[in-house]
Amino acid sequence: MANPPLLVSGAAFAAWSVVMDPGAGMIPGLAFAVFGVLERVNYFYTQLTYATCEDLHHLRSKGFRRSHLARDLERRSVRARTEGRPSPHPRRMA
């Protein structure tokens, strides 16, 4: 999957640009790059957004929880392995 390396390299390039040529025009680009990485983490790995009181209570008592999409993808891949089907995420050959 090419998304994570592209997001990280884009954020690194934005940070490098802010360091090399500081100015107000570079900061929004860095902010968008960081928010892009955080959204990727929020959707595919760990839930970072907590909107309700119950969610905040869970965060304080048990810590971060896995994202819903990560749990769904894991269930699907486990089900595919147990049923003898190929993985639902095959590596594409270029």
Side-chain angles (χ1 to χ4, degrees), residues 45-90:
Y45 303 105
T46 302
Q47 182 178 350
L48 299 177
T49 55
Y50 297 89
T52 64
C53 292
E54 292 83 16
D55 287 342
L56 293 173
H57 176 69
H58 182 275
L59 178 64
R60 283 192 295 271
S61 63
K62 298 179 183 174
F64 290 109
R65 65 172 74 158
R66 294 192 57 218
S67 70
H68 294 285
L69 183 59
R71 287 184 270 169
D72 290 343
L73 290 173
E74 181 181 8
R75 268 193 300 255
R76 181 177 169 168
S77 65
V78 166
R79 187 172 59 221
R81 281 194 304 260
T82 58
E83 293 175 358
R85 293 185 307 204
S87 176
H89 306 292

Side-chain angles (χ1 to χ4, degrees), residues 18-56:
V18 169
V19 169
M20 296 307 288
D21 187 19
M26 298 294 179
I27 294 174
L30 179 61
F32 283 128
V34 169
F35 287 135
V37 170
L38 290 174
E39 276 300 308
R40 171 79 184 186
V41 169
N42 186 45
Y43 284 139
F44 288 99
Y45 303 105
T46 302
Q47 182 178 350
L48 299 177
T49 55
Y50 297 89
T52 64
C53 292
E54 292 83 16
D55 287 342
L56 293 173

